[in-house]
Amino acid sequence: MRDKTVKHQYTNQLIQEKSPYLLQHAHNPVNWMAWGEEAFSKAKREGKPVFLSVGYS
């Protein structure tokens, strides 16, 4: 069980996911987003490339 009283310096959108793999990256200092239309729309709107991580752990 996670200690909900821990304060983190960074929290990205992965904090809203259910996947244990994605949740372990929710406090990385990178604005990770889950694969989906929102991520692709944001990248297109901002003229930025999509960096896709396929996992490593």
Side-chain angles (χ1 to χ4, degrees), residues 19-39:
S19 162
Y21 175 77
L22 294 178
L23 286 170
Q24 71 180 339
H25 299 287
H27 298 293
N28 292 166
V30 175
N31 190 22
W32 293 117
M33 297 175 74
W35 176 273
E37 187 57 39
E38 181 184 0

Side-chain angles (χ1 to χ4, degrees), residues 4-48:
K4 304 223 187 253
T5 63
V6 175
K7 299 286 186 197
H8 296 280
Q9 186 174 0
Y10 302 101
T11 301
N12 59 43
Q13 292 184 28
L14 295 182
I15 197 69
Q16 299 172 21
E17 299 299 319
K18 293 184 181 351
S19 162
Y21 175 77
L22 294 178
L23 286 170
Q24 71 180 339
H25 299 287
H27 298 293
N28 292 166
V30 175
N31 190 22
W32 293 117
M33 297 175 74
W35 176 273
E37 187 57 39
E38 181 184 0
F40 290 109
S41 294
K42 181 177 180 176
K44 185 175 183 179
R45 185 173 59 250
E46 295 180 4
K48 295 180 179 177

